[in-house]
């Protein structure tokens, strides 16, 4: 056993844990590991904040295993008991944690422990059968699947199995809350015993995370670890930016990839539709690079794609923010960003996919001239400094656009995908949290459409006349009815619908727009007055209803009056009515009531 910082700072650790760590090649603890491992083993609840790529996975797996081993030496675990739960925001991160844990459980002294990965995309019935037949001491799961199984009473009764829980870990807690899992987490916590250890790990501390700490942790020790006070990204990460015209964004990106000879990279795109489109385009533009695509709407194939990217030596992974958190992919040279993410914190998480565990890394974000203020914003808001880069493309923009146009003309499916990608991008941009700096009205949408290689501008309310003047696509040169699908079945269906449209003027399956009926000014005014009168009548009815209710309640307020007082009050009301009907003068009324005429 080597004498390293692990043995110095974590002397109580079981020898099997230290041997497995040695096999990993981690000779020294990272700051977050040194701070949190002793606390969790000392039965403290811990809320840890540390920059992405700082070794948070081992920071909670090591004490988790130590706690389970200690309890096993005192009272052996039963097959029906669950001793630890790790909740991750995405199935990719949960799978990665499960693989790291598997390396520990392969050790002979810990092989008696079992784990189960519970994530969406897998069969619920298979998960239930596996837990019933083989059990699992450790659950690595996403919140949705765990909540589902806890609320199923049936044959499994997972709620009874978690009564022996020793430790709960909430990994990437801020992301869990960003994805809207607050109610789910609260439901899960309601099933778990209060006498447990809880570790909450996140890259950023937000108000929502603080609220979760109050609800799920008991007097937690807050640990905030940063590798460098002036930055929130890893020390060995170099961040760059380039300012590019909107129409030339793709041109500059391709030039950058070729000039830097990038071997392994990740390109973050704003939406799933964008990933779908560019995953069909990039293989034709970067023929020597293996192009892979992954986004949140994919289900079972996500794990396979991620493994293919991990194993590849020369590849680019096109993805959305589903991979922005926690996923550890070795040897990523560059993290590329098509445009600013939806919030500033996501920028830190995106670029954290490189420069992990002491390795160097680089990141590049492409900005439009209207987005230059974002550089200073990141410096102030996230403590991230960006260095400028200049790229001089060797190819011509018109040649690139012709390639994109040709691809879409060859297959109508790609033409449809391109339009969906552009529309989804614009809609996502309009919902940007940093809308004061990144304003949609400042973006030249016509030029952005050219960067997508669109044949024509789609119909959407955001497109104005000024944007149509910017756009120089071949819209007037193409008969769009002639663009066919490569898929023969889809094309046959389209031709059938096209023939119906040419005969009737209505596309099959599409509801015709209702024509607005015109009416005379007098009729319009009459309807307006009728609506006004109806509102007035409704208001009067409501007032009468309130008055009747108050009259019904009136007797309750007369409990303290005598019969003589009530008779006198009734007489006064009768006299008042006579005055209103002008059957009695006010002087006679005053005399009858007994008012002093003076």
């Amino acid at each position: 056993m080597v004498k390293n910082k692990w043995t110095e700072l974590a002397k109580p650790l079981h020898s099997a844990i230290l041997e497995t760590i040695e096999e990993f090649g981690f000779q020294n603890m990272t700051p977050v590991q040194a701070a949190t491992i002793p606390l969790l083993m000392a039965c403290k609840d811990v809320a840890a904040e540390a920059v992405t790529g700082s070794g948070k996975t081992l920071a909670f797996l090591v004490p988790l295993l130590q706690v389970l081993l200690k309890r096993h030496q005192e009272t052996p675990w039963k097959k029906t008991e669950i001793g630890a739960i790790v909740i991750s925001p995405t199935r990719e991160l949960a799978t990665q944690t499960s693989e790291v844990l598997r390396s520990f459980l392969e050790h002979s002294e810990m092989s008696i422990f079992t784990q189960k990965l519970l994530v969406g995309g897998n069969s619920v019935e298979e998960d239930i059968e596996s837990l019933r037949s083989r059990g699992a001491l450790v659950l690595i799961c996403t919140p949705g699947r765990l909540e589902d199984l806890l609320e199923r009473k049936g044959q499994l009764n997972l709620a009874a199995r978690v009564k022996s829980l020793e430790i709960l870990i909430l990994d990437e807690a801020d992301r869990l809350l960003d994805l809207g899992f607050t109610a789910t987490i609260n439901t899960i916590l309601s099933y778990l015993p209060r006498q447990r250890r809880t570790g909450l790990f996140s890259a950023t501390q937000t108000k929502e995370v603080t609220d979760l700490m109050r609800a799920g942790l008991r007097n937690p020790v807050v640990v905030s670890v940063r590798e460098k006070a002036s930055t929130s990204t890893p020390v060995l990460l170099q961040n760059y930016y380039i300012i590019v015209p909107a129409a030339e964004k793709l041109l500059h990106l391709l030039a950058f990839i070729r000039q830097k000879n990038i071997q392994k990279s990740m390109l973050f795109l704003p939406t799933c539709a964008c990933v779908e489109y560019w995953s069909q385009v990039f293989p034709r533009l970067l023929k020597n690079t293996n192009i892979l695509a992954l986004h949140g709407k994919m289900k079972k194939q996500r794990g396979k794609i991620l493994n293919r990217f991990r194993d590849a030596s020369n590849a680019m992974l096109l993805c959305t923010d589903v991979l922005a958190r926690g996923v550890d992919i070795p040897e990523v040279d560059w993290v590329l960003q098509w445009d600013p993410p939806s919030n500033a914190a996501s920028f830190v998480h995106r670029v954290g996919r490189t420069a992990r565990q002491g390795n160097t890394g680089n990141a590049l974000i492409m900005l439009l001239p209207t987005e230059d203020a974002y550089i200073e914003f990141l410096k102030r808001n996230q403590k991230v400094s960006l260095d400028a880069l200049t790229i001089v493309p060797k190819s011509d923009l018109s040649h690139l656009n012709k390639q994109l146009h040709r691809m879409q003309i060859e297959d109508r499916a790609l033409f449809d995908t391109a339009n969906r990608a552009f529309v989804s991008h614009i809609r996502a941009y309009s919902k940007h949290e940093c809308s004061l700096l990144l304003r949609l009205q400042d973006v030249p949408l016509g030029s952005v459409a050219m960067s997508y290689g669109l044949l024509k501008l789609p119909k959407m309310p955001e497109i104005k006349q000024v944007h149509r003047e910017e756009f120089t696509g071949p819209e007037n040169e193409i008969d769009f009815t002639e663009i066919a699908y490569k898929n023969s079945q889809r094309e046959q269906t389209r031709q059938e619908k096209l023939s119906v449209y040419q005969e009737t003027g209505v596309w099959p399956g599409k509801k015709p727009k209702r024509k607005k009926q015109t009416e005379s000014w007098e009729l319009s005014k009459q309807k307006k007055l009728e609506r006004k009168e109806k509102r007035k009548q409704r208001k009067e009815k409501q007032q009468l209803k309130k008055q009747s209710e108050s009259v019904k309640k009136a007797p309750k307020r007369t409990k303290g009056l005598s019969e003589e007082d009530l008779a006198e009050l009734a007489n006064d009301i009768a006299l008042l009515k006579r005055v209103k009907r002008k059957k009695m003068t006010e002087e006679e009324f005053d005399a009858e009531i007994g008012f002093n005429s003076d």
Side-chain angles (χ1 to χ4, degrees), residues 267-282 291-296 298 317-321 417 421 424 452:
L267 173 60
F268 283 94
L269 295 162
T271 68
C272 300
C274 292
V275 173
E276 290 287 345
Y277 173 58
W278 292 118
S279 66
Q280 299 177 57
V281 171
F282 271 94
I291 303 297
L292 301 171
L294 191 153
H295 57 72
M298 294 178 174
L317 179 62
L318 312 183
C319 57
T320 58
D321 281 337
T417 305
S424 67
Y452 277 79

Side-chain angles (χ1 to χ4, degrees), residues 1 6-7 10-22 37 41 62-63 65-73 104 107-113:
M1 183 74 61
W6 282 94
T7 54
K11 293 180 181 179
L13 286 179
H14 195 280
S15 60
I17 299 175
L18 288 172
E19 289 174 8
T20 309
I21 291 170
E22 184 180 358
I37 289 175
M41 291 196 304
V62 168
L65 290 168
Q66 181 70 15
V67 168
L68 297 181
L69 283 166
K70 184 179 178 181
R71 153 66 204 275
H72 184 70
Q73 292 171 352
F104 282 92
H107 196 283
S108 58
E109 294 186 53
M110 289 186 286
S111 59
I112 56 174
F113 295 162

Side-chain angles (χ1 to χ4, degrees), residues 30 129 152 247 274 281 303 312 322 338 346 385 396 399 405 450 471 499 577-578:
T30 64
E129 181 58 31
R152 286 174 181 254
C274 292
V281 171
V322 71
W338 182 264
S346 294
S385 297
D396 183 56
H399 175 69
H405 296 160
M450 291 174 62
F471 184 71
S499 62
K577 288 181 178 179
R578 294 187 67 187

Side-chain angles (χ1 to χ4, degrees), residues 478-493:
I478 298 175
D479 182 359
F480 290 94
T481 60
E482 296 297 323
I483 300 178
Y485 289 106
K486 277 189 175 180
N487 184 293
S488 58
Q489 187 174 356
R490 290 188 69 182
E491 178 58 21
Q492 182 180 352
T493 303

Side-chain angles (χ1 to χ4, degrees), residues 24 52-58 60-61 86 88-104 115 117 119 140-142 171-172 266 303 306-307 310 322-330 352-353 356-357:
F24 271 109
T52 183
S54 57
K56 291 194 287 290
T57 303
L58 283 187
F60 62 74
L61 281 184
V86 179
S88 300
T90 64
R91 67 189 69 175
E92 287 77 22
L93 185 53
T95 303
Q96 177 179 289
T97 303
S98 176
E99 291 172 355
V100 176
L101 179 60
R102 185 179 295 111
S103 301
F104 282 92
Q115 66 154 322
L117 179 65
V119 296
I140 310 292
C141 52
T142 49
D171 192 15
E172 299 290 353
M266 297 176 68
L306 194 57
N307 289 332
R310 281 196 175 105
V322 71
L323 287 186
R325 302 290 291 264
V327 178
D328 189 16
I329 303 172
R353 297 314 95 214
R356 299 178 67 83
Q357 293 292 344

Side-chain angles (χ1 to χ4, degrees), residues 252 536 563:
H252 280 75
K536 184 179 178 181
E563 292 183 6

Side-chain angles (χ1 to χ4, degrees), residues 272-369:
C272 300
C274 292
V275 173
E276 290 287 345
Y277 173 58
W278 292 118
S279 66
Q280 299 177 57
V281 171
F282 271 94
R284 306 188 193 183
L285 302 178
L286 296 171
K287 295 183 179 180
N288 296 325
T289 303
N290 184 17
I291 303 297
L292 301 171
L294 191 153
H295 57 72
K297 291 183 179 180
M298 294 178 174
K299 300 301 178 184
K300 295 183 180 180
Q301 64 268 43
R302 278 162 55 176
K304 295 179 181 179
I305 294 170
L306 194 57
N307 289 332
R308 284 175 56 194
F309 182 64
R310 281 196 175 105
D311 297 337
S313 58
N314 181 12
M316 173 187 283
L317 179 62
L318 312 183
C319 57
T320 58
D321 281 337
V322 71
L323 287 186
R325 302 290 291 264
V327 178
D328 189 16
I329 303 172
E331 300 174 357
V332 173
D333 302 322
W334 283 85
V335 169
L336 310 172
Q337 300 184 66
W338 182 264
D339 65 350
S342 59
N343 58 69
S346 294
F347 179 94
V348 175
H349 300 305
R350 283 180 174 186
V351 300
R353 297 314 95 214
T354 185
R356 299 178 67 83
Q357 293 292 344
N359 296 318
T360 59
N362 303 280
L364 173 74
I365 183 170
M366 297 188 293
L367 300 173
L368 304 180

Side-chain angles (χ1 to χ4, degrees), residues 36-55:
T36 58
I37 289 175
L39 291 171
L40 283 171
M41 291 196 304
C43 301
K44 301 286 186 181
D45 283 4
V46 176
E49 175 193 6
V51 298
T52 183
S54 57

